[in-house]
Amino acid sequence: MRKFTIGIPAYNCGNTIESCMQPLLALDCLDIFSIIVLVSESTDGTLEKLQDISKSNRNADIKIVDDGPVKGVESAIFRLVEMCKTDWIWILSGDDIPANDWFSIVRNLVDTNYQMAIYQFFRADELGRPLFRHYNMKTLSQCGEWSFNFPQDKKRFLSKIKTTDAIFSFISNVIFRKSMWQDTRKDLYLAFKGSNFMHSMLLLANINNNVKMKVSGKALIFQRGGEDSFSKIDLLKRALMSFHTFGQPIDTFDYAERALIKSAAKREYPWYRCIKIVSLSKDKELCKEFLILRFSKFSRPLFFIIFFIFVFI
């Protein structure tokens, strides 16, 4: 089996980093992969906890890099790929918990002729029951698996997974070959904000040139941190991040494709979730911006009526 790299961007992950690392370090064959943790300027003891984990697992190939001031997840991803010395890399968020069978999933990928694979997020409660309905998403069958050859299958790919949670993040549920990244220009990549998968996919240099991709319903992640790591006030910023990213007028997507992607963002934020986000925010300008992106001018008045009923009555 080929050696692969797990790159972990970590910022204020003190409460989750041990749970994130534990399934990785529970294996007997720790020599088959390396772990690079890029720590931004955290204030909750993330770096110190990682140093303790490294000392307790000296037989594992763990590299901890202090990245200084926070530069954003886009910069972290770029740096992790640059530091990767193997053919394959998995970018795993420091607040996500891998599934127990993550290794068998990765092992079945890295010796194939795919260049990229997307796996389904599996957000679960303490009993392991999926919580997809919380996000208004449809699940892919755990046994389902599809292959796509780009560029000819791009529209089929978008249509297939546009209503699933698999589309919403480039972090934790995507494994790819470093060679796909080699021609990506840093100044172009860092110009985009947000970390969802679809905009990042376009910035992997060869995605439209003979790339073979796999989409699988298998669960690579047991529990997703994501939204739980945001404060109540920052939930609105997280929502705006998704909509700005999905709404980017990226030239490599035509109008119909962008419409598909934007519809997926709207599914991620159903009206009842929007009520929660808006009610917790005190920034009127950001609320206005979000509601313009999420609702048409015809549906906005209806949302305000429902919002008033739920919040004030």
Side-chain angles (χ1 to χ4, degrees):
M1 178 182 174
R2 300 178 188 177
K3 190 168 184 177
F4 61 94
T5 298
I6 302 172
I8 303 178
Y11 170 63
N12 282 342
C13 297
N15 292 330
T16 57
I17 195 64
E18 291 176 283
S19 297
C20 172
M21 298 282 282
Q22 193 278 327
L24 306 179
L25 300 172
L27 299 179
D28 295 328
C29 49
L30 294 177
D31 59 332
I32 203 66
F33 62 91
S34 23
I35 299 173
I36 306 174
V37 189
L38 191 69
V39 187
S40 296
E41 196 172 41
S42 297
T43 57
D44 67 346
T46 298
L47 180 59
E48 291 76 14
K49 287 188 177 182
L50 281 165
Q51 289 169 341
D52 290 340
I53 291 170
S54 181
K55 288 177 184 177
S56 302
N57 296 272
R58 296 187 183 278
N59 57 333
D61 183 0
I62 303 175
K63 181 178 182 180
I64 301 170
V65 180
D66 187 347
D67 197 36
V70 180
K71 304 175 185 67
V73 69
E74 297 85 5
S75 177
I77 292 174
F78 204 98
R79 284 211 61 198
L80 285 165
V81 176
E82 283 185 327
M83 289 187 284
C84 173
K85 304 296 183 184
T86 59
D87 186 22
W88 285 92
I89 183 168
W90 173 24
I91 304 292
L92 170 65
S93 175
D95 60 5
D96 288 341
I97 303 173
N100 288 333
D101 62 343
W102 71 268
F103 183 70
S104 64
I105 294 174
V106 178
R107 182 180 58 199
N108 291 333
L109 171 68
V110 297
D111 288 325
T112 67
N113 62 347
Y114 286 105
Q115 283 82 44
M116 191 176 201
I118 310 170
Y119 296 91
Q120 184 160 238
F121 268 125
F122 186 70
R123 186 175 173 87
D125 63 14
E126 64 278 3
L127 298 177
R129 295 173 299 197
L131 298 178
F132 279 102
R133 291 186 64 184
H134 176 69
Y135 291 103
N136 201 33
M137 295 292 113
K138 296 179 182 178
T139 57
L140 295 169
S141 166
Q142 292 286 313
C143 300
E145 187 170 298
W146 300 269
S147 293
F148 300 92
N149 291 293
F150 285 78
Q152 59 267 35
D153 289 339
K154 186 166 66 172
K155 288 186 178 180
R156 185 171 71 88
F157 164 72
L158 291 173
S159 297
K160 185 69 179 178
I161 69 167
K162 68 172 183 174
T163 59
T164 75
D165 196 49
I167 201 172
F168 286 113
S169 182
F170 180 65
I171 293 185
S172 295
N173 68 327
V174 179
I175 304 175
F176 59 94
R177 291 180 186 267
K178 183 176 178 177
S179 58
M180 292 186 62
W181 194 275
Q182 61 189 5
D183 296 325
T184 301
R185 286 171 38 207
K186 187 173 183 178
D187 58 340
L188 173 63
Y189 175 67
L190 296 182
F192 290 85
K193 298 300 179 184
S195 61
N196 78 53
F197 166 70
M198 286 310 303
H199 98 279
S200 300
M201 182 187 78
L202 289 172
L203 298 172
L204 295 171
N206 300 314
I207 195 63
N208 290 313
N209 298 300
N210 301 316
V211 168
K212 187 177 181 183
M213 176 194 292
K214 176 169 77 170
V215 174
S216 173
K218 290 183 179 178
L220 190 59
I221 296 298
F222 169 70
Q223 185 167 331
R224 184 179 180 184
E227 187 175 291
D228 297 334
S229 63
F230 286 85
S231 69
K232 290 181 178 180
I233 296 175
D234 286 339
L235 286 177
L236 184 60
K237 293 180 180 178
R238 170 64 181 83
L240 278 169
M241 184 177 74
S242 288
F243 274 90
H244 279 309
T245 306
F246 280 108
Q248 294 275 5
I250 304 173
D251 293 339
T252 46
F253 275 153
D254 61 28
Y255 178 81
E257 291 167 337
R258 292 200 301 272
L260 282 175
I261 297 169
K262 195 168 184 179
S263 71
K266 289 185 176 182
R267 283 180 176 272
E268 188 186 9
Y269 288 92
W271 64 267
Y272 50 85
R273 194 178 181 199
C274 294
I275 288 175
K276 175 185 176 182
I277 292 169
V278 172
S279 65
L280 292 173
S281 176
K282 296 181 180 179
D283 192 320
K284 293 182 179 179
E285 290 302 314
L286 286 182
C287 285
K288 180 180 178 181
E289 183 181 354
F290 171 68
L291 292 174
I292 289 174
L293 288 168
R294 172 59 183 86
F295 299 100
S296 70
K297 64 180 180 179
F298 302 106
S299 60
R300 239 171 284 150
L302 179 60
F303 172 79
F304 285 127
I305 293 171
I306 297 173
F307 178 83
F308 180 82
I309 293 172
F310 273 80
V311 176
F312 297 106
I313 297 180

